[in-house]
Amino acid sequence: MNAIQKFLKIYLNQKIKYQNINSIINFLIFSLSFLTLIIKFEESAYLSPYIKNKILVTMLIISFFCILFLITKNLIHKYNLWENSNLQKLAYQLIKKIPTKDRIINALQIYSTLDLNSPYSDLTLNSIKQLEDEITKINVNDIKFDIPYKKIYILIILFLIFISSISLSNQYSNALDRLIQKDIMFNKPLPFKLMFESYENENFIFKGDDLKVVIHADGNAPEKIILNTKTNSKREQIEINRTNQLYSYVLKNINSNTQIWASYINESILPYKRYQIKTDTLDIVLKTRPEFKNLKINIIPPSYTNINELLHNQSLTTIQLIMGSTLKIEGILNKKIKNAKLKFNIDSTLNMDVINNTINLEFEILEPLEFEIICTDFQNNKNIPIKYSVIINDDLIPYVNIKYPNDNLKINAKDNINLEIEIIDDFGIKKAFLEYYISKPYYLNQDTTLIQTKIFDNSKIKKNQFISYNWD
């Protein structure tokens, strides 16, 4: 009976070996599938070190319990704990695997109830002896065990997929590297970037100005983003649309220092797909430009007009005067300035006198022109140019009507001529002169000297003067 028991023990060891192989294949299939899925998930998830360590600990715990389960299972079967692998169960499993069929079970059952004092015990022992002789001729390695070929094929396919993914996909291999470096935090690449277009002096504008904000998108940008503004702790969000990878918006009439940034938030049910993209924060600092608190432009007509100094209406940008007039400009600004000048339409300039925040200048007008007043402070900020056009009004020549004599007349050297003259001028008559030359007979030498005689001088100026003069 010892030979039968030894054969069954050897069979049990072979059975345990194949069961272990099957369990190991199952574990490898599970581990490789889990690792493949985790790497695939890591491609887009960029797991944190905390989660990667948790996954590693979980895998180690699962592995530990699998090994513990396999060892426990082997011990239970090897030592037939709780009758899990008794000899009869093993013999029953061999019925279809060896030529002895069910004779081993029968022998075990008969032997368990054998009475050696029975006269038929020798026959029983002889039958068992024959069975043992047959069993010794059977090689346990020839017994067919269930080999999980299907699972082996699955394992090979999974392994090939795993190796191919690492070799052919940079994203997959990078994801594996990130999982291996479990304590390092890797930043997830974002699908696009947002950045402000560069401007000259973009951080400084003048109070009350408009600011055009242009944001460039690099990558797969969304149709809309949010423009955020923060002024004196008051925050406002403005939705702006994309046009050819650009987002633009005009902020009107900025009167306070303002912070500006653009953002986009992707909401998703899956936490790893949630992300926020922001630009840098643009700090808008207001500058104060020079501004006129008071500006006076006076027109000083030529002295012959006897017109007093005139104050120009500041609501009019056109200045009308007569040639030879003097423009007198006086201004007071809101801050000290470094220089001030008049810039003419012919690209020439004329510097103005500056004292702290006051300016002044006088210059004569001899032709029509255009000019603008430009003031610059010590931070090189300029005022909004104030433009004027100067138009020359015609100064009409005096109108003279000689009423007497009204025709040619002959006189001798002793005769007097009573002249009656009417003179009209748009600015008035103060003085009048009689100019003449003496015409001699053609056979005498001609004297072309022009003789001038004052015939009227009056401080009381009138536009219409009637003159009577006795020319002797």
Side-chain angles (χ1 to χ4, degrees), residues 418-446:
N418 292 318
L419 299 176
E420 293 184 4
I421 304 169
E422 183 181 15
I423 304 176
I424 301 173
D425 186 73
D426 49 354
F427 289 104
I429 305 299
K430 183 179 181 181
K431 294 180 181 180
F433 296 87
L434 176 65
E435 292 183 348
Y436 62 94
Y437 65 89
I438 298 173
S439 178
K440 297 180 180 181
Y442 69 90
Y443 52 85
L444 298 177
N445 292 329
Q446 299 295 318

Side-chain angles (χ1 to χ4, degrees), residues 339-355:
N339 60 64
K341 62 184 178 180
L342 294 187
K343 182 178 180 182
F344 298 96
N345 57 338
I346 54 176
D347 293 332
S348 62
T349 59
L350 187 61
N351 291 327
M352 306 181 73
D353 295 327
V354 175
I355 301 176

